[in-house]
Short mmCIF file of all heavy atoms in Angstrom, two decimals:
data_model
loop_
_atom_site.label_atom_id
_atom_site.label_comp_id
_atom_site.label_asym_id
_atom_site.label_seq_id
_atom_site.Cartn_x
_atom_site.Cartn_y
_atom_site.Cartn_z
N THR A 106 2.92 -6.32 18.85
CA THR A 106 3.34 -7.48 18.02
C THR A 106 4.24 -7.04 16.92
O THR A 106 5.29 -7.59 16.65
CB THR A 106 2.14 -8.20 17.53
OG1 THR A 106 1.28 -8.62 18.56
CG2 THR A 106 2.55 -9.44 16.75
N MET A 107 3.76 -6.01 16.16
CA MET A 107 4.51 -5.64 14.91
C MET A 107 4.91 -4.13 15.04
O MET A 107 4.23 -3.33 15.52
CB MET A 107 3.61 -5.83 13.76
CG MET A 107 2.96 -7.21 13.59
SD MET A 107 4.15 -8.45 13.34
CE MET A 107 4.81 -7.99 11.73
N PHE A 109 6.73 -1.23 12.22
CA PHE A 109 7.05 -0.88 10.84
C PHE A 109 7.67 0.43 10.74
O PHE A 109 7.57 1.30 11.52
CB PHE A 109 5.73 -0.93 10.02
CG PHE A 109 4.83 -2.07 10.23
CD1 PHE A 109 3.73 -1.97 11.05
CD2 PHE A 109 5.05 -3.22 9.58
CE1 PHE A 109 2.87 -3.03 11.26
CE2 PHE A 109 4.19 -4.33 9.77
CZ PHE A 109 3.10 -4.20 10.58
N TYR A 111 8.14 3.56 7.80
CA TYR A 111 7.68 4.17 6.57
C TYR A 111 8.46 5.41 6.21
O TYR A 111 9.15 6.08 7.09
CB TYR A 111 6.21 4.58 6.61
CG TYR A 111 5.16 3.49 6.75
CD1 TYR A 111 4.95 2.82 7.96
CD2 TYR A 111 4.37 3.18 5.63
CE1 TYR A 111 3.98 1.84 8.08
CE2 TYR A 111 3.40 2.20 5.74
CZ TYR A 111 3.26 1.54 6.96
OH TYR A 111 2.23 0.55 7.05
N GLN A 113 7.99 9.15 4.05
CA GLN A 113 7.01 10.01 3.32
C GLN A 113 7.78 11.19 2.82
O GLN A 113 8.22 12.06 3.54
CB GLN A 113 5.90 10.46 4.30
CG GLN A 113 4.82 11.20 3.61
CD GLN A 113 3.59 11.49 4.48
OE1 GLN A 113 3.75 11.59 5.70
NE2 GLN A 113 2.42 11.62 3.94
N GLN A 117 4.01 13.65 -0.68
CA GLN A 117 3.67 12.31 -1.21
C GLN A 117 2.95 11.46 -0.11
O GLN A 117 2.92 11.93 1.01
CB GLN A 117 4.92 11.65 -1.65
CG GLN A 117 5.74 12.37 -2.73
CD GLN A 117 4.92 12.52 -4.00
OE1 GLN A 117 4.35 11.56 -4.51
NE2 GLN A 117 4.88 13.67 -4.59
N SER A 118 2.60 10.32 -0.52
CA SER A 118 1.98 9.36 0.43
C SER A 118 3.05 8.64 1.17
O SER A 118 4.28 8.83 0.95
CB SER A 118 1.05 8.41 -0.30
OG SER A 118 0.47 7.50 0.59
N LEU A 119 2.65 7.73 2.05
CA LEU A 119 3.63 6.92 2.84
C LEU A 119 4.08 5.71 2.05
O LEU A 119 3.19 5.12 1.40
CB LEU A 119 2.96 6.45 4.13
CG LEU A 119 2.79 7.49 5.19
CD1 LEU A 119 1.69 8.38 5.03
CD2 LEU A 119 2.70 6.80 6.61
N LEU A 121 6.09 2.04 2.62
CA LEU A 121 6.57 1.13 3.61
C LEU A 121 8.04 0.73 3.32
O LEU A 121 8.34 0.35 2.20
CB LEU A 121 5.74 -0.16 3.65
CG LEU A 121 6.13 -1.26 4.54
CD1 LEU A 121 6.01 -0.79 6.03
CD2 LEU A 121 5.29 -2.51 4.38
N THR A 124 9.42 -4.11 7.83
CA THR A 124 8.87 -4.63 9.03
C THR A 124 9.98 -4.96 9.98
O THR A 124 10.90 -5.72 9.62
CB THR A 124 7.99 -5.85 8.78
OG1 THR A 124 6.94 -5.50 7.88
CG2 THR A 124 7.40 -6.35 10.06
N GLU A 134 10.97 -4.07 2.04
CA GLU A 134 10.09 -3.98 0.84
C GLU A 134 11.04 -3.73 -0.33
O GLU A 134 12.21 -3.37 -0.24
CB GLU A 134 9.12 -2.84 1.00
CG GLU A 134 8.14 -2.97 2.14
CD GLU A 134 7.29 -4.24 1.95
OE1 GLU A 134 6.60 -4.37 0.93
OE2 GLU A 134 7.24 -5.04 2.88
N LEU A 168 8.60 7.63 9.44
CA LEU A 168 7.60 7.38 10.46
C LEU A 168 7.68 5.96 10.97
O LEU A 168 7.78 4.96 10.20
CB LEU A 168 6.20 7.55 9.84
CG LEU A 168 5.87 8.96 9.45
CD1 LEU A 168 5.65 9.05 7.92
CD2 LEU A 168 4.67 9.50 10.18
N ARG A 172 1.59 -2.11 15.67
CA ARG A 172 0.27 -2.78 15.69
C ARG A 172 0.30 -3.83 16.76
O ARG A 172 1.25 -4.63 16.81
CB ARG A 172 0.03 -3.39 14.34
CG ARG A 172 -1.33 -3.97 14.20
CD ARG A 172 -1.65 -4.30 12.73
NE ARG A 172 -2.98 -4.70 12.49
CZ ARG A 172 -3.55 -4.86 11.32
NH1 ARG A 172 -2.83 -4.58 10.24
NH2 ARG A 172 -4.77 -5.25 11.21
N GLY A 174 -1.87 -6.45 17.42
CA GLY A 174 -2.17 -7.81 17.02
C GLY A 174 -3.32 -7.86 16.08
O GLY A 174 -3.84 -6.80 15.65
N ARG A 175 -3.78 -8.98 15.83
CA ARG A 175 -4.91 -9.20 14.87
C ARG A 175 -6.13 -8.43 15.41
O ARG A 175 -6.48 -8.46 16.55
CB ARG A 175 -5.30 -10.64 14.68
CG ARG A 175 -6.35 -10.89 13.62
CD ARG A 175 -6.67 -12.35 13.45
NE ARG A 175 -7.56 -12.58 12.33
CZ ARG A 175 -8.88 -12.42 12.41
NH1 ARG A 175 -9.42 -12.03 13.53
NH2 ARG A 175 -9.66 -12.70 11.37
N GLY A 176 -6.76 -7.67 14.52
CA GLY A 176 -7.93 -6.88 14.93
C GLY A 176 -7.61 -5.54 15.56
O GLY A 176 -8.52 -4.80 15.87
N GLU A 177 -6.30 -5.29 15.79
CA GLU A 177 -5.98 -4.06 16.42
C GLU A 177 -5.53 -2.99 15.41
O GLU A 177 -5.06 -3.28 14.34
CB GLU A 177 -4.86 -4.29 17.47
CG GLU A 177 -5.29 -5.19 18.62
CD GLU A 177 -4.45 -4.97 19.84
OE1 GLU A 177 -3.86 -3.88 19.96
OE2 GLU A 177 -4.46 -5.91 20.70
N THR A 178 -5.74 -1.71 15.80
CA THR A 178 -5.41 -0.59 14.93
C THR A 178 -3.92 -0.43 14.73
O THR A 178 -3.14 -0.79 15.68
CB THR A 178 -6.05 0.68 15.57
OG1 THR A 178 -7.44 0.49 15.73
CG2 THR A 178 -5.70 1.89 14.64
N GLN A 179 -3.49 0.01 13.59
CA GLN A 179 -2.11 0.32 13.40
C GLN A 179 -1.87 1.82 13.73
O GLN A 179 -2.62 2.68 13.19
CB GLN A 179 -1.70 0.04 11.96
CG GLN A 179 -0.25 0.20 11.67
CD GLN A 179 0.15 -0.31 10.33
OE1 GLN A 179 -0.41 -1.24 9.75
NE2 GLN A 179 1.25 0.28 9.79
N TYR A 180 -0.95 2.04 14.61
CA TYR A 180 -0.72 3.42 15.11
C TYR A 180 0.61 3.95 14.51
O TYR A 180 1.50 3.15 14.17
CB TYR A 180 -0.63 3.47 16.60
CG TYR A 180 -1.96 3.11 17.29
CD1 TYR A 180 -2.20 1.84 17.67
CD2 TYR A 180 -2.96 4.06 17.45
CE1 TYR A 180 -3.38 1.44 18.26
CE2 TYR A 180 -4.20 3.75 18.06
CZ TYR A 180 -4.37 2.42 18.47
OH TYR A 180 -5.57 2.10 19.08
N PHE A 181 0.68 5.28 14.44
CA PHE A 181 1.88 5.94 13.85
C PHE A 181 2.47 6.91 14.82
O PHE A 181 1.76 7.59 15.59
CB PHE A 181 1.47 6.66 12.57
CG PHE A 181 1.16 5.71 11.41
CD1 PHE A 181 -0.13 5.16 11.30
CD2 PHE A 181 2.11 5.40 10.49
CE1 PHE A 181 -0.41 4.21 10.33
CE2 PHE A 181 1.86 4.49 9.43
CZ PHE A 181 0.62 3.90 9.36
N GLY A 182 3.79 7.03 14.79
CA GLY A 182 4.46 8.03 15.48
C GLY A 182 4.40 9.39 14.73
O GLY A 182 3.81 9.49 13.62
N PRO A 183 4.91 10.43 15.35
CA PRO A 183 4.82 11.79 14.77
C PRO A 183 5.77 12.01 13.58
O PRO A 183 5.62 12.96 12.89
CB PRO A 183 5.20 12.71 15.92
CG PRO A 183 6.08 11.89 16.79
CD PRO A 183 5.55 10.45 16.67
N GLY A 184 6.73 11.10 13.44
CA GLY A 184 7.65 11.22 12.31
C GLY A 184 8.89 11.97 12.70
O GLY A 184 8.96 12.75 13.65
N ARG A 186 11.64 14.36 10.72
CA ARG A 186 11.86 15.11 9.47
C ARG A 186 13.38 15.20 9.29
O ARG A 186 14.05 15.85 10.17
CB ARG A 186 11.19 16.47 9.61
CG ARG A 186 11.22 17.28 8.37
CD ARG A 186 10.48 18.63 8.59
NE ARG A 186 9.08 18.40 8.89
CZ ARG A 186 8.10 18.37 8.02
NH1 ARG A 186 8.33 18.53 6.72
NH2 ARG A 186 6.85 18.18 8.37
N TYR B 234 -10.66 -5.67 5.02
CA TYR B 234 -11.32 -4.63 5.71
C TYR B 234 -11.06 -3.30 5.03
O TYR B 234 -10.01 -3.13 4.44
CB TYR B 234 -11.01 -4.58 7.24
CG TYR B 234 -11.60 -5.67 8.06
CD1 TYR B 234 -11.09 -6.98 7.91
CD2 TYR B 234 -12.67 -5.46 8.88
CE1 TYR B 234 -11.64 -8.01 8.67
CE2 TYR B 234 -13.19 -6.48 9.63
CZ TYR B 234 -12.72 -7.76 9.52
OH TYR B 234 -13.28 -8.76 10.24
N TYR B 238 -7.77 6.63 7.30
CA TYR B 238 -6.84 7.42 8.16
C TYR B 238 -6.86 8.83 7.73
O TYR B 238 -7.18 9.25 6.58
CB TYR B 238 -5.39 6.90 8.06
CG TYR B 238 -5.11 5.69 8.88
CD1 TYR B 238 -5.58 4.41 8.55
CD2 TYR B 238 -4.36 5.80 10.01
CE1 TYR B 238 -5.31 3.31 9.35
CE2 TYR B 238 -4.05 4.73 10.84
CZ TYR B 238 -4.56 3.49 10.50
OH TYR B 238 -4.27 2.39 11.25
N GLN B 240 -4.55 12.44 8.06
CA GLN B 240 -3.14 12.99 8.32
C GLN B 240 -3.11 14.49 8.21
O GLN B 240 -3.40 15.06 7.17
CB GLN B 240 -2.08 12.33 7.43
CG GLN B 240 -0.66 12.74 7.77
CD GLN B 240 0.37 12.07 6.97
OE1 GLN B 240 0.16 11.77 5.82
NE2 GLN B 240 1.60 11.92 7.53
N PRO B 242 -0.65 18.00 8.44
CA PRO B 242 0.70 18.33 8.15
C PRO B 242 1.60 18.13 9.40
O PRO B 242 1.17 18.43 10.50
CB PRO B 242 0.61 19.80 7.78
CG PRO B 242 -0.75 19.98 7.19
CD PRO B 242 -1.61 19.13 8.09
N SER B 243 2.76 17.55 9.18
CA SER B 243 3.74 17.38 10.28
C SER B 243 3.33 16.39 11.36
O SER B 243 3.83 16.48 12.47
CB SER B 243 4.17 18.71 10.86
OG SER B 243 4.64 19.59 9.94
N GLN B 244 2.34 15.52 10.99
CA GLN B 244 1.93 14.49 11.99
C GLN B 244 1.83 13.19 11.25
O GLN B 244 1.67 13.14 10.05
CB GLN B 244 0.59 14.92 12.58
CG GLN B 244 0.61 16.14 13.45
CD GLN B 244 -0.75 16.28 14.18
OE1 GLN B 244 -1.52 15.40 14.38
NE2 GLN B 244 -1.02 17.56 14.47
N GLY B 245 1.81 12.13 12.07
CA GLY B 245 1.64 10.80 11.48
C GLY B 245 0.13 10.57 11.24
O GLY B 245 -0.68 11.24 11.82
N PRO B 246 -0.20 9.61 10.38
CA PRO B 246 -1.59 9.29 10.13
C PRO B 246 -2.34 8.85 11.40
O PRO B 246 -1.76 8.21 12.27
CB PRO B 246 -1.58 8.18 9.09
CG PRO B 246 -0.23 8.30 8.44
CD PRO B 246 0.69 8.83 9.51
N ARG B 247 -3.65 9.22 11.44
CA ARG B 247 -4.44 8.87 12.62
C ARG B 247 -5.64 8.12 12.17
O ARG B 247 -6.33 8.45 11.21
CB ARG B 247 -4.91 10.15 13.29
CG ARG B 247 -5.71 9.92 14.50
CD ARG B 247 -6.09 11.31 15.16
NE ARG B 247 -7.06 11.99 14.51
CZ ARG B 247 -8.35 12.12 14.90
NH1 ARG B 247 -8.74 11.53 16.00
NH2 ARG B 247 -9.20 12.82 14.22
N PHE B 248 -5.90 6.89 12.81
CA PHE B 248 -7.04 6.09 12.49
C PHE B 248 -8.38 6.89 12.73
O PHE B 248 -8.52 7.51 13.68
CB PHE B 248 -7.03 4.89 13.39
CG PHE B 248 -8.25 4.02 13.24
CD1 PHE B 248 -8.37 3.03 12.36
CD2 PHE B 248 -9.30 4.21 14.18
CE1 PHE B 248 -9.50 2.14 12.26
CE2 PHE B 248 -10.46 3.37 14.15
CZ PHE B 248 -10.56 2.38 13.19
N GLN B 251 -13.05 2.09 10.65
CA GLN B 251 -12.89 0.78 9.89
C GLN B 251 -14.18 0.10 9.74
O GLN B 251 -15.00 0.09 10.67
CB GLN B 251 -11.85 -0.08 10.59
CG GLN B 251 -11.52 -1.36 9.85
CD GLN B 251 -10.56 -2.23 10.63
OE1 GLN B 251 -10.86 -2.80 11.69
NE2 GLN B 251 -9.35 -2.34 10.11
N TYR B 289 -6.89 9.07 3.83
CA TYR B 289 -6.42 7.87 3.11
C TYR B 289 -7.41 6.73 3.32
O TYR B 289 -7.86 6.41 4.39
CB TYR B 289 -5.07 7.38 3.61
CG TYR B 289 -3.93 8.31 3.33
CD1 TYR B 289 -3.47 9.16 4.34
CD2 TYR B 289 -3.23 8.27 2.11
CE1 TYR B 289 -2.32 10.04 4.09
CE2 TYR B 289 -2.20 9.13 1.89
CZ TYR B 289 -1.74 9.98 2.86
OH TYR B 289 -0.69 10.89 2.61
N PRO B 294 -6.32 -7.17 4.66
CA PRO B 294 -6.82 -8.10 5.66
C PRO B 294 -6.41 -7.61 7.06
O PRO B 294 -5.40 -7.05 7.25
CB PRO B 294 -6.13 -9.37 5.27
CG PRO B 294 -4.92 -8.99 4.45
CD PRO B 294 -5.29 -7.70 3.78
N ASN B 295 -7.29 -7.93 8.03
CA ASN B 295 -7.05 -7.53 9.38
C ASN B 295 -6.17 -8.50 10.08
O ASN B 295 -6.63 -9.22 11.02
CB ASN B 295 -8.42 -7.31 10.08
CG ASN B 295 -8.26 -6.40 11.34
OD1 ASN B 295 -7.21 -5.99 11.65
ND2 ASN B 295 -9.37 -6.14 11.92
N GLN B 296 -4.93 -8.58 9.70
CA GLN B 296 -3.96 -9.53 10.25
C GLN B 296 -2.82 -8.81 10.96
O GLN B 296 -2.38 -7.80 10.45
CB GLN B 296 -3.42 -10.44 9.15
CG GLN B 296 -4.47 -11.27 8.44
CD GLN B 296 -3.90 -12.02 7.24
OE1 GLN B 296 -2.78 -11.83 6.89
NE2 GLN B 296 -4.75 -12.78 6.61
N ALA B 297 -2.35 -9.39 12.01
CA ALA B 297 -1.33 -8.72 12.77
C ALA B 297 -0.08 -8.54 11.94
O ALA B 297 0.59 -7.50 12.15
CB ALA B 297 -1.02 -9.55 14.05
N GLY B 298 0.27 -9.42 11.07
CA GLY B 298 1.56 -9.32 10.36
C GLY B 298 1.53 -8.48 9.10
O GLY B 298 2.49 -8.32 8.43
N THR B 299 0.37 -7.88 8.82
CA THR B 299 0.21 -7.16 7.58
C THR B 299 0.31 -5.68 7.79
O THR B 299 -0.49 -5.09 8.58
CB THR B 299 -1.18 -7.48 6.89
OG1 THR B 299 -1.25 -8.85 6.71
CG2 THR B 299 -1.28 -6.75 5.56
N ALA B 300 1.29 -5.00 7.16
CA ALA B 300 1.39 -3.56 7.32
C ALA B 300 0.44 -2.87 6.31
O ALA B 300 0.20 -3.40 5.22
CB ALA B 300 2.83 -3.11 6.98
N LEU B 301 -0.04 -1.74 6.69
CA LEU B 301 -0.93 -0.97 5.80
C LEU B 301 -0.11 -0.39 4.69
O LEU B 301 1.04 0.10 4.85
CB LEU B 301 -1.60 0.13 6.58
CG LEU B 301 -2.59 -0.31 7.59
CD1 LEU B 301 -3.09 0.85 8.44
CD2 LEU B 301 -3.73 -1.00 6.99
N ILE B 302 -0.68 -0.50 3.46
CA ILE B 302 0.00 0.11 2.27
C ILE B 302 -0.89 1.29 1.83
O ILE B 302 -2.08 1.16 1.59
CB ILE B 302 0.03 -0.91 1.13
CG1 ILE B 302 0.80 -2.16 1.61
CG2 ILE B 302 0.67 -0.33 -0.09
CD1 ILE B 302 2.26 -1.89 1.98
N PHE B 303 -0.29 2.47 1.77
CA PHE B 303 -0.99 3.73 1.53
C PHE B 303 -1.01 4.00 0.08
O PHE B 303 0.00 3.97 -0.69
CB PHE B 303 -0.39 4.84 2.30
CG PHE B 303 -0.74 4.84 3.75
CD1 PHE B 303 -0.11 3.91 4.57
CD2 PHE B 303 -1.58 5.74 4.29
CE1 PHE B 303 -0.39 3.88 5.93
CE2 PHE B 303 -1.87 5.70 5.67
CZ PHE B 303 -1.27 4.83 6.47
N GLY B 304 -2.21 4.49 -0.41
CA GLY B 304 -2.35 5.09 -1.74
C GLY B 304 -2.12 6.56 -1.69
O GLY B 304 -1.52 7.07 -0.71
N LYS B 305 -2.60 7.29 -2.64
CA LYS B 305 -2.31 8.68 -2.73
C LYS B 305 -3.11 9.57 -1.74
O LYS B 305 -2.64 10.57 -1.39
CB LYS B 305 -2.55 9.20 -4.15
CG LYS B 305 -1.58 8.57 -5.16
CD LYS B 305 -1.73 9.18 -6.53
CE LYS B 305 -0.84 8.59 -7.56
NZ LYS B 305 0.60 8.70 -7.21
N GLY B 306 -4.33 9.21 -1.35
CA GLY B 306 -5.03 9.94 -0.46
C GLY B 306 -5.81 11.15 -1.10
O GLY B 306 -5.55 11.52 -2.25
#
Side-chain angles (χ1 to χ4, degrees):
Chain A
T106 304
M107 306 297 295
F109 311 100
Y111 290 79
Q113 186 171 30
Q117 303 296 314
S118 182
L119 286 76
L121 179 65
T124 299
E134 298 298 304
L168 296 117
R172 187 168 185 169
R175 186 180 186 278
E177 297 205 20
T178 301
Q179 186 169 332
Y180 296 95
F181 289 82
R186 188 178 297 269
Chain B
Y234 284 73
Y238 277 74
Q240 186 178 28
S243 301
Q244 295 186 26
R247 181 175 77 105
F248 171 87
Q251 182 183 68
Y289 294 98
N295 200 357
Q296 299 172 356
T299 304
L301 292 173
I302 303 300
F303 284 73
K305 293 187 183 300

